[in-house]
Amino acid sequence: MEFKDIAGVCPVCGGPLIYGENAVSSKNGSVDWTCQDCGATGKEVYREVFDSHQDVRLGDSRPVPPRET
């Protein structure tokens, strides 16, 4: 049986993951884990993705009006 990559779920057996002592929530980076059920180990990798531009201003500091959709 193959499991999809889901945060907190073991990709080997589908069991719950236990995170290392230094685990911190981060937009970029990785967190070590051990599966509570089968003992497999690995890393969860996080990457920040672009969402939007906000508070855009012209060179003279005037705000740029929002685009019409």
Side-chain angles (χ1 to χ4, degrees):
M1 177 177 261
E2 185 176 321
F3 295 92
K4 292 184 176 188
D5 282 346
I6 300 171
V9 178
C10 178
V12 176
C13 75
L17 301 180
I18 301 168
Y19 297 96
E21 289 181 23
N22 296 326
V24 289
S25 179
S26 173
K27 292 180 182 177
N28 291 310
S30 63
V31 179
D32 294 333
W33 55 259
T34 301
C35 177
Q36 180 177 308
D37 292 348
C38 74
T41 61
K43 294 180 183 290
E44 282 186 355
V45 178
Y46 294 86
R47 292 188 179 103
E48 185 174 359
V49 296
F50 176 78
D51 181 55
S52 65
H53 291 285
Q54 297 181 0
D55 195 26
V56 179
R57 296 185 174 272
L58 298 173
D60 63 2
S61 298
R62 288 182 297 140
V64 174
R67 290 184 188 153
E68 292 184 23
T69 55

